Amino acid sequence: MTTAIDNMNRHVDYPRAAKQRKRIASAAARLVAENGISDFAVAKRKAAKSLGLPETTPLPENAAIESELSVYRALFQPDEQSEQIDYLRHKAKEIMLILQRFKPYLTGSVLEGTAGRYPEIDVQLFADSAKDVEVFLLNRHIPFAHTTPRSERAEAVLSILDEEASINLIIYPPHEERVTIRSRDGRVRRRAHLDKLIKLLNSNGKETP
């Protein structure tokens, strides 16, 4: 049975838990920005450990990491971040132009503007078969490697290595183009087709992704 004291303790714990989550989010964002950790889950666990918090400590949502990351980069990496995002978006445009027949969409940290020092360019493709994409790349002498899909809905992921970033071609069946894809924490995963990306580049990043 819940007592008045239990309720009082719970109300006291709420601000404390929120403060801890904010500390973790801030430390995780710093790890992403400075160490190039691309997996937010890994960054959050490392951040909590570095703060001396127990493994059972509630962790912040990915949205909190992205928010802290934007603040950190605006303060400490403004020029570096702006130039890198612009470069990566142009690289995405290049590969999307090549792969137009597979209805490419840019998604992930490059679109959101939160990519770190060791970024990955995520491009969604929609094809009848992953083999079609493989053959297309082979015929154009574009080397690639298979990597493990992050979602069960993706048929395959082909990674193209670039000097500055890894380009992940995430291949879905055609009908998935009409489906709203969500991230692991349930948020809608934003994406931009080629026309929208070009508009974003022409606006010098002032256009909303």
Side-chain angles (χ1 to χ4, degrees), residues 40 61-63 66 181-189:
F40 281 9
E61 298 288 344
N62 286 351
E66 291 176 352
I181 297 177
R182 297 181 179 274
S183 59
R184 292 178 180 177
D185 59 3
R187 290 177 300 138
V188 173
R189 192 169 174 82

Side-chain angles (χ1 to χ4, degrees), residues 16 28-29 33 94 127 130-131 145 159 189 191 194 197 203:
R16 182 185 305 166
E94 290 175 11
K131 279 291 181 185
S159 293
R189 192 169 174 82
R191 61 186 185 180
L194 185 57
L197 175 58
S203 72

